[in-house]
Amino acid sequence: MADYVLHMERKNADILIAGGGVAGLVAAAAFGTAGFSVVIVDPAPPVTNAHSDGADLRTTAFLQPAQAFLETAGVWPHLADHATPLQIMRIVDAAADPHVVRDFDARDISDQPFGWNLPNWLLRREIVARLHELPNVDFRPGTGFTGMVPRLNAALVNLTDGTQVAAKLVIAADGRNSAVRRALGISTTTTRYGQKAVTFAVTHDAPHDNVSTEIHRAGGPFTLVPLPDHDGKPCSAVVWMDHGAECLRRAALDTEVFEAEANDRSALHYGPLKLASKRMVWPIISQVADQITGPRTALVAEAAHVMPPIGAQGLNMSLRDLACLLDLTTADPANLGSPAMLDSYARQRHPDIKLRVAGIDALNKASMLGNSVAQDLRARGIAALYGITPVRRTLMQLGLGAR
């Protein structure tokens, strides 16, 4: 084994990124734009066409701070023309009688929308296009992480293509089952809800008017997020959370039966919904890594935290991880990957991660409640929070990532 390691082809880089999902690709663009030499690997090439097998048909809403970070990474010019603005966040409690409807309007706190929505497959396509513009970024799709040996001045990272990268900093962006995290022996604290989410796109008669609508009833929220028109009709992406068995049952229904159930669950808020994509099912959990750093290594995105898709917090939190790391590395590039830098990253991010995951966990558990007393309390809580203007504005600022 020693002879094999000695004869490996070795490349030196400032940063090795494990994981070629949206967070990993954005990380490569951000650190590459900042002038660092970057190697990014993922065992699966990114699927960049909506009609290809394995395409991720979910969407991501980038809130204002995330959009600013994408500008810094040189990615936003690739995305702006494809993005649908989210001007209003609407919460509907459909279990209440009458329904409680409250609109949180970005105009109350900003002259910009809350955020912008984009399909995940398109994100991958456009971020990869940005990476091709950066000569200091070595993108290796189809190559995976097999292990690493941290040293005093670098981590020696072994890859499935038989090469080795000596990197001053390793960024683990390789998902909730992170191989890098496992290699470091870092455990996680996980909450399972017995929930899944069915994701799909729909057309509808009523225009969405750039409103993201979260409809609550027992089992979990039914969220419609604006998309560009499809075949000349208003279109929205849907995330429908419910008990796992129900989601699996619905995903297998004939189209007409599924549409009937979706229309009932949406309370016909936008009129009749017509399926405009295939359906996909995703597990819902909360998970926080017990540590978010190791020798020469920082955990980001789902390697560090996973949460239910409520309030558009997931990937936006991931970009906060990256923004924090980028600030630390550009402020002191000579100490890239040092214990002091990683300690600072952990101090700044880990408490915020735990707090926000706990908040989303509480919101999700409240949305699952099915008894009438709990539903009444939820409706009263939504109305009360909305009715106090300073509280409403503070909640919106917190939703955008303010501390």
Side-chain angles (χ1 to χ4, degrees), residues 262-276:
N263 282 316
D264 177 68
R265 182 61 182 78
S266 72
L268 293 174
H269 195 75
Y270 287 161
L273 305 178
K274 298 292 290 183
L275 196 63

Side-chain angles (χ1 to χ4, degrees), residues 11-17 27-40 131 134-138 167-169 171 322 324-337 341:
K11 173 173 179 169
N12 294 318
D14 293 323
I15 298 170
L16 182 287
I17 299 170
F31 286 93
T33 300
F36 294 98
S37 60
V38 177
V39 176
I40 171 171
L131 297 188
L134 297 168
N136 52 326
V137 175
D138 178 5
K168 296 176 183 177
L169 173 65
I171 297 178
L322 297 178
C324 177
L325 265 183
L326 186 64
D327 287 345
L328 291 168
T329 56
T330 53
D332 191 8
N335 286 310
L336 180 65
M341 193 209 84

Side-chain angles (χ1 to χ4, degrees), residues 53-101:
D53 289 342
D56 185 350
L57 301 179
R58 295 174 297 175
T59 64
T60 294
F62 289 100
L63 303 179
Q64 287 180 19
Q67 184 269 343
F69 185 74
L70 294 174
E71 286 272 17
T72 299
V75 170
W76 188 247
H78 289 266
L79 300 175
D81 290 344
H82 306 286
T84 304
L86 307 178
Q87 183 62 41
I88 293 173
M89 301 290 193
R90 176 172 293 153
I91 297 180
V92 179
D93 195 317
D97 187 17
H99 294 175
V100 175
V101 181

Side-chain angles (χ1 to χ4, degrees), residues 11-267:
K11 173 173 179 169
N12 294 318
D14 293 323
I15 298 170
L16 182 287
I17 299 170
V22 173
L25 293 171
V26 171
F31 286 93
T33 300
F36 294 98
S37 60
V38 177
V39 176
I40 171 171
V41 300
D42 192 286
V47 179
T48 56
N49 186 302
H51 304 293
S52 298
D53 289 342
D56 185 350
L57 301 179
R58 295 174 297 175
T59 64
T60 294
F62 289 100
L63 303 179
Q64 287 180 19
Q67 184 269 343
F69 185 74
L70 294 174
E71 286 272 17
T72 299
V75 170
W76 188 247
H78 289 266
L79 300 175
D81 290 344
H82 306 286
T84 304
L86 307 178
Q87 183 62 41
I88 293 173
M89 301 290 193
R90 176 172 293 153
I91 297 180
V92 179
D93 195 317
D97 187 17
H99 294 175
V100 175
V101 181
R102 294 294 183 268
D103 285 355
F104 294 81
D105 194 329
R107 293 181 185 88
D108 287 351
I109 58 171
S110 174
D111 58 0
Q112 288 189 305
F114 282 115
W116 296 262
N117 197 46
L118 288 134
N120 285 4
W121 64 266
L122 185 143
L123 285 171
R124 287 175 167 84
R125 186 188 75 192
E126 297 302 318
I127 302 168
V128 168
R130 171 58 181 159
L131 297 188
H132 289 325
E133 299 172 350
L134 297 168
N136 52 326
V137 175
D138 178 5
F139 180 33
R140 302 187 187 181
T143 299
F145 167 96
T146 61
M148 68 179 184
V149 180
R151 297 279 178 85
L152 183 61
N153 295 316
L156 304 181
V157 183
N158 298 330
L159 304 175
T160 57
D161 63 2
T163 63
Q164 185 180 77
V165 176
K168 296 176 183 177
L169 173 65
V170 175
I171 297 178
D174 53 343
R176 62 184 66 188
N177 299 313
S178 169
V180 176
R181 189 184 64 223
R182 291 199 305 271
L184 293 170
I186 296 174
S187 56
T188 61
T189 300
T190 303
T191 300
R192 302 188 185 279
Y193 303 97
Q195 281 177 306
K196 296 186 186 295
V198 184
T199 61
F200 51 98
V202 293
T203 57
H204 38 82
D205 293 335
H208 52 58
D209 293 326
N210 298 332
V211 177
S212 177
T213 302
E214 201 167 272
I215 302 171
H216 289 264
R217 197 183 276 175
F222 183 101
T223 305
L224 298 109
V225 187
L227 286 174
D229 286 359
H230 177 75
D231 291 339
K233 297 201 70 174
C235 184
S236 296
V238 178
V239 179
W240 186 357
M241 292 168 56
D242 206 333
H243 301 292
E246 275 294 280
C247 288
L248 291 171
R249 180 189 66 81
R250 290 181 182 126
L253 291 173
D254 290 339
T255 297
E256 289 186 5
V257 179
F258 177 79
E259 288 175 344
E261 293 201 11
N263 282 316
D264 177 68
R265 182 61 182 78
S266 72

Side-chain angles (χ1 to χ4, degrees), residues 181 186-190 286-293 299-306 350 353-354 357:
R181 189 184 64 223
I186 296 174
S187 56
T188 61
T189 300
T190 303
S286 289
Q287 181 172 284
V288 178
D290 295 335
Q291 300 170 231
I292 61 168
T293 60
L299 274 58
V300 302
E302 289 202 342
H305 49 78
V306 182
H350 210 197
I353 287 167
K354 289 187 280 190
V357 171

